[in-house]
Amino acid sequence: MNTPRAAHILWADDEIDLLRPHILFLESKGFRMTSVNSGRDALEAVEREVFDLVFLDEQMPGLGGIETLQEIKQLRPHLPVVMITKSEEEHIMEEAIGSKIADYLIKPVNPNQILLSVKRILDGKRLLSEQAMSTYQRQFQSISQQLMGRMDAREWMELYDRLIRWKLELAQWEESGMQDILESQYTDADRQFARFVQQHYLDWMQQPDDRTPTLSHRLLPERLPRTLAEAQDRPVFLVVIDNLRMDQWKIIEPLLLDRFRVVREAPYFSILPTATQYARNALFAGLAPSEIARRLALKVAQEFGLPEDWLNDQVAPFLAEKEAKRRLTGIDWGEGLRVSVPTAAYLLALKLRAARPPLPGYAGDRGDIRFLVKKMELESVAAAEAVYGKFFPHDLLSEAAKEEVRGALAAPPP
């Protein structure tokens, strides 16, 4: 069985002989000690040997403590240094702290004060790790029992917050066994939460009440008015980070606290599907995807003088016939199909919005676009842009889409 290596401590002080009792005390606690009586000797020792910690007197003749500290940090940037001084002058403390010392002690120091500093620096990580493991072990059973019970949306959010905090806490330490246990509990929570959502989602969407969590499309209508009122005419900025999970936010948050203050943290539930084109659009619109589609259909109906239910009457059979022709006959689905001009305009706008530079050998939706351009009797890219602008007034036609239109215009008639 290998014996753990004793921590090696260097002590530099021009009155090192007077500190002999302190050095013997630390040796009795199992530490390996090396002592020198000048800054220059300390630098030579650091270059020659490996140390875990340095005690450094601030007031030494020749190379002073601050200068020695700076030289040590150039040689060993991560070597912890404890500055010991008789002076309580503020500028000396500030200079030492600015040079990234691990601790700052003022003479006279007693052995227990020295030992506490050593323990905090060398054993701090281990002690914190052991404390974290012990605390999680105590909470593991209560979390497991909570997962076996019935929870409402608020309790699920609180549980998720607890699990995330433990995930980030245990990730700091090297105890993989406890992290595996937490990951298993996390997986169990995911499974139970999916069942909870499946059981309640329809009611949340169709019959919301005071127990319903805030969903994507209700986030801004419910919370933005309060935020604007609290701002009292100060500017308000809405920053949306796509696909940001709570654990990712917890990692980012400390980086922002130097400049910002977190006043309130309020999670919400995403609608399903959570994909961007559904959840984010619902968030900005303040509407469920089905309501967005209904309003777009009404807009098209008003634009072209159609009945309000035109979308169901024309687009669905059109798409069904397209798929049937592809599967059964392999014939170009545009051939012989009867589709109205407004339907063609709507579908063309959707096709052009999805246009991407094609992969080699992949035709994509070119046949679809060619048929729709011919159906609408478009004669230029500008005409296609005008159609596109009716449905997406705040968006510009991409270069890839323009290229598709040019290809459709140049193609011979079927």
Side-chain angles (χ1 to χ4, degrees), residues 396-408:
L396 296 176
L397 200 58
S398 69
E399 289 302 319
K402 290 178 184 178
E403 192 59 36
E404 294 290 351
V405 173
R406 292 188 190 101

Side-chain angles (χ1 to χ4, degrees), residues 329-342:
T329 68
I331 300 173
D332 180 358
W333 62 266
E335 183 182 340
L337 285 179
R338 296 179 300 278
V339 54
S340 71
V341 169

Side-chain angles (χ1 to χ4, degrees), residues 250-362:
K250 289 296 182 185
I251 293 171
I252 294 172
E253 184 182 14
L255 305 177
L256 304 176
L257 293 181
D258 286 343
R259 294 180 176 273
F260 300 96
R261 181 167 53 97
V262 177
V263 176
R264 184 170 53 254
E265 201 170 79
Y268 73 96
F269 283 33
S270 172
I271 63 163
L272 299 176
T274 60
T276 296
Q277 59 266 41
Y278 292 95
R280 190 176 64 188
N281 290 349
L283 186 150
F284 283 124
L287 300 169
S290 58
E291 179 62 14
I292 295 174
R294 188 186 73 82
R295 294 196 182 191
L296 179 59
L298 285 175
K299 179 180 177 182
V300 174
Q302 292 166 0
E303 182 78 25
F304 293 97
L306 297 170
E308 292 184 0
D309 60 354
W310 73 273
L311 189 62
N312 291 332
D313 288 347
Q314 299 193 48
V315 174
F318 173 77
L319 294 177
E321 188 171 354
K322 163 190 167 181
E323 184 61 24
K325 277 194 171 279
R326 276 184 174 165
R327 290 189 180 186
L328 299 177
T329 68
I331 300 173
D332 180 358
W333 62 266
E335 183 182 340
L337 285 179
R338 296 179 300 278
V339 54
S340 71
V341 169
T343 302
Y346 174 68
L347 291 170
L348 178 62
L350 294 179
K351 295 281 183 186
L352 292 177
R353 194 174 207 202
R356 299 287 185 274
L359 297 172
Y362 176 67

